[in-house]
């Protein structure tokens, strides 16, 4: 039995097979419409979500399976003090696979240790968001045909952004990747990540002004400043609108540069950018369904 806690749980060869499967599902969805007949996915979300939870539910439903779960810790017995370990033992009696989001780093790992069914980390605190990373990688591969030799700008909350941490960890395994980290001083990418990049001799630079680096980028990965990770409101208010991607900034970028965002967005991408053909974030959300379908099939050993 396999779980998914980090994108690194899959080798790059396994990821290629997963993405090939996701692309096949996109081309020929009918072939997979009954692949999970009789199977149940549990979505245990202790933190709010639109994309991750609903794309998992859409994925399982499109595979012919069914879904149970909770979308809020308050509506589960966690509110009565039940531990994650006990909860997953119970979920193991009811479902065949579980996607879990939790505000505490490592909670899905604790669940996996006690689980009798595959557990997927659907985001744990500021730590990892592996299925978002699978979505990001599938989007890049599908739209550009490869995962190597890119300059990727990551902009916004690079300190608390689990999607950013997961994506960097995954991309360092590909040749010719260069990172540009664009953030205010207070939201710089953590030292453990820059230490890892130095050790692996992967080029990166850290800048504050987005305008200065726009022409260099193959991808711009925008992120939201996450209110829920701040300890005080004042800091959040000061930093929340630090970056706003608008048409004037897009004019500085290459014609084939693509903008990604894990979403939700708040103000960091102006809605006027949505009509730019380089805005790929809504297509990215669609790829999230295909990759989660492929992941469910892979972890249930159906493919
Ligand atoms: N990208 C993402 O994780 O979105 P949700 O928080 O809506 O699931």
């Amino acid at each position: 039995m396999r779980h998914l806690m980090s994108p690194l749980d899959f080798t790059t060869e396994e990821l290629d097979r997963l993405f090939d499967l996701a692309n096949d599902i996109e081309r020929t969805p009918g072939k997979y419409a009954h692949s999970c007949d009789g199977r149940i996915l549990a979505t245990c979300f202790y933190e709010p979500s639109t994309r991750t939870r609903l794309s998992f539910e859409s994925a399982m439903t499109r595979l012919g399976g069914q879904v149970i779960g909770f979308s809020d810790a308050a509506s589960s017995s966690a509110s009565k003090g039940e531990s994650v370990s006990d909860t997953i033992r119970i979920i193991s009696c009811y479902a065949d696979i579980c996607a879990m989001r939790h505000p505490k780093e490592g909670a899905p790992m604790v669940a996996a240790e006690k689980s009798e069914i595959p557990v997927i980390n659907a985001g744990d605190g500021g730590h990892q968001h592996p299925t978002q990373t699978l979505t990001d990688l599938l989007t890049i591969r599908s739209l550009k045909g490869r995962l190597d030799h890119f300059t990727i700008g990551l902009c916004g909350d690079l300190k608390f952004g689990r999607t950013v941490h997961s994506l960097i960890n995954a991309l360092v395994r590909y040749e010719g990747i260069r990172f540009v980290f664009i953030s205010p001083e207070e939201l710089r990418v953590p030292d453990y990540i820059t230490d890892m990049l130095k050790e692996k001799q992967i080029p990166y630079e850290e800048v504050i002004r987005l305008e200065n680096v726009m022409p260099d980028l193959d991808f711009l990965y925008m992120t939201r400043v996450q209110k829920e990770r701040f300890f005080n409101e004042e800091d959040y208010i000061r930093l929340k609108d630090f970056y706003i991607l608008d048409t004037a900034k897009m004019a500085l970028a290459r014609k084939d540069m693509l903008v990604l965002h894990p979403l939700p967005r708040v103000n960091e991408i102006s809605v006027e950018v949505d009509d730019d053909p380089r805005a790929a974030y809504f297509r990215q959300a669609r790829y999230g369904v295909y990759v989660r379908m492929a992941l469910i099939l892979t972890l249930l050993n159906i493919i």
Side-chain angles (χ1 to χ4, degrees), residues 254-303:
R254 291 184 198 157
K255 296 279 174 266
D256 62 350
M257 192 268 301
L258 291 177
V259 182
L260 302 178
H261 191 314
L263 305 177
R265 83 168 138 193
V266 186
N267 291 326
E268 62 278 3
I269 301 180
S270 166
V271 289
E272 67 194 17
V273 175
D274 296 354
D275 295 330
D276 189 308
R278 295 169 293 180
Y281 31 91
F282 293 119
R283 281 174 278 169
Q284 185 183 357
R286 187 177 291 276
Y287 282 117
V289 179
Y290 303 131
V291 88
R292 289 181 175 100
M293 290 171 80
L295 180 65
I296 290 168
L297 293 173
T298 303
L299 293 182
L300 288 177
N301 285 316
I302 290 172
I303 296 291

Side-chain angles (χ1 to χ4, degrees), residues 45 48-54 101 122 129 132 162-163 224 261-264 292:
F45 276 59
S49 167
T50 296
R51 270 143 298 275
T52 312
R53 186 172 64 83
L54 295 182
R101 170 170 288 188
H129 194 345
Q132 181 63 49
R162 61 190 171 202
T163 59
R224 170 177 70 99
H261 191 314
L263 305 177
R292 289 181 175 100

Side-chain angles (χ1 to χ4, degrees), residues 32-298:
Y32 301 91
H34 296 284
S35 299
C36 281
D37 279 357
R39 309 292 185 110
I40 297 175
L41 165 76
T43 50
C44 299
F45 276 59
Y46 295 82
E47 218 186 31
S49 167
T50 296
R51 270 143 298 275
T52 312
R53 186 172 64 83
L54 295 182
S55 65
F56 263 117
E57 296 188 0
S58 172
M60 191 49 148
T61 306
R62 286 170 191 270
L63 291 168
Q66 292 183 296
V67 180
I68 59 172
F70 54 86
S71 58
D72 176 6
S75 67
S76 79
S77 287
S79 62
K80 302 174 201 161
E82 186 169 56
S83 68
V84 163
S85 303
D86 281 359
T87 300
I88 196 65
R89 286 183 168 188
I90 301 306
I91 298 295
S92 295
C93 305
Y94 303 157
D96 301 291
I97 187 165
C98 173
M100 178 179 286
R101 170 170 288 188
H102 205 288
K104 282 202 184 131
E105 283 86 354
M109 176 68 90
V110 170
E113 282 164 7
K114 298 287 182 200
S115 181
E116 292 172 24
I117 59 174
V119 176
I120 300 165
N121 177 1
D124 60 329
H127 184 219
Q128 295 274 339
H129 194 345
T131 62
Q132 181 63 49
T133 301
L134 299 183
T135 302
D136 301 340
L137 296 180
L138 176 65
T139 306
I140 294 171
R141 204 186 79 145
S142 301
L143 298 181
K144 292 288 187 185
R146 62 179 206 277
L147 284 165
D148 49 22
H149 296 94
F150 287 123
T151 296
I152 308 222
L154 297 114
C155 178
D157 176 2
L158 309 188
K159 179 178 180 181
F160 299 113
R162 61 190 171 202
T163 59
V164 166
H165 305 159
S166 270
L167 183 59
I168 296 167
N169 272 328
L171 282 172
V172 296
R173 297 193 292 181
Y174 297 94
E175 294 264 309
I177 295 293
R178 182 175 158 258
F179 294 105
V180 181
F181 298 132
I182 308 140
S183 73
E185 185 62 32
E186 296 88 336
L187 296 177
R188 281 179 55 202
V189 72
D191 288 345
Y192 80 87
I193 289 185
T194 50
D195 289 347
M196 178 268 292
L197 296 176
K198 282 180 203 143
E199 196 186 308
K200 292 183 187 294
Q201 300 187 319
I202 292 167
Y204 73 90
E205 63 178 304
E206 293 185 83
V207 300
I208 294 176
R209 276 179 65 81
L210 176 58
E211 292 87 332
N212 294 358
V213 293
M214 283 297 277
D216 302 336
L217 306 179
D218 297 304
F219 286 94
L220 173 60
Y221 194 91
M222 290 298 293
T223 62
R224 170 177 70 99
V225 174
Q226 301 174 93
K227 188 176 185 182
E228 64 275 27
R229 310 268 178 241
F230 275 81
F231 293 112
N232 77 68
E233 178 100 8
E234 227 172 79
D235 284 350
Y236 170 71
I237 289 168
R238 188 165 49 80
L239 295 170
K240 72 183 174 68
D241 293 330
F242 202 91
Y243 297 107
I244 298 180
L245 181 66
D246 54 15
T247 49
K249 292 193 187 76
M250 287 296 284
L252 304 170
R254 291 184 198 157
K255 296 279 174 266
D256 62 350
M257 192 268 301
L258 291 177
V259 182
L260 302 178
H261 191 314
L263 305 177
R265 83 168 138 193
V266 186
N267 291 326
E268 62 278 3
I269 301 180
S270 166
V271 289
E272 67 194 17
V273 175
D274 296 354
D275 295 330
D276 189 308
R278 295 169 293 180
Y281 31 91
F282 293 119
R283 281 174 278 169
Q284 185 183 357
R286 187 177 291 276
Y287 282 117
V289 179
Y290 303 131
V291 88
R292 289 181 175 100
M293 290 171 80
L295 180 65
I296 290 168
L297 293 173
T298 303

